[in-house]
Amino acid sequence: MSVELISVLIAVLAVGATLAGLIVSGQRALRAELAAQRTELTALRHDFTAELATLRQEVNTEFAAQRQGITELREQIAELRERMAHLAGLLDGLREAIAFQRGAA
């Protein structure tokens, strides 16, 4: 082998080793960045899950209060119906008493 061939082979090997080093360091940097992104995404997911659970609890509490309010309204309406029925009965009785007195007179 000639000196020129050996020097070209050494230059090619040096360039190959340099490129391999650059590729490996680039891959390492990408892995580190991906790991940081995963960590950040996991933290965001946990925060979102906690916030969602809080909102779900608030909505459930509000719905329970709404249901309680609706139940109270229904009870009040039922009470008013009973009172109206009682008043209707009294008015019917009063009407009959007035009609009876006019008929007797």
Side-chain angles (χ1 to χ4, degrees), residues 2-75:
S2 70
V3 175
E4 292 172 354
L5 182 61
I6 292 174
S7 64
V8 169
L9 286 175
I10 290 174
V12 168
L13 287 174
V15 169
T18 303
L19 285 175
L22 288 173
I23 290 171
V24 167
S25 68
Q27 291 289 329
R28 188 175 300 136
L30 284 174
R31 282 189 189 132
E33 189 175 334
L34 282 174
Q37 290 291 327
R38 274 192 206 117
T39 304
E40 184 179 341
L41 185 60
T42 301
L44 286 173
R45 187 184 57 175
H46 287 306
D47 292 344
F48 178 73
T49 303
E51 185 177 348
L52 187 61
T54 302
L55 288 174
R56 183 182 298 151
Q57 183 64 31
E58 289 174 6
V59 167
N60 286 341
T61 303
E62 188 174 327
F63 279 155
Q66 294 279 338
R67 281 190 214 117
Q68 181 65 29
I70 290 171
T71 302
E72 290 173 2
L73 281 174
R74 286 181 179 168
E75 290 172 357

Side-chain angles (χ1 to χ4, degrees), residues 74-84:
R74 286 181 179 168
E75 290 172 357
Q76 289 175 358
I77 289 172
E79 182 182 335
L80 286 173
R81 281 184 186 150
E82 290 175 11
R83 291 170 68 186
M84 286 175 57

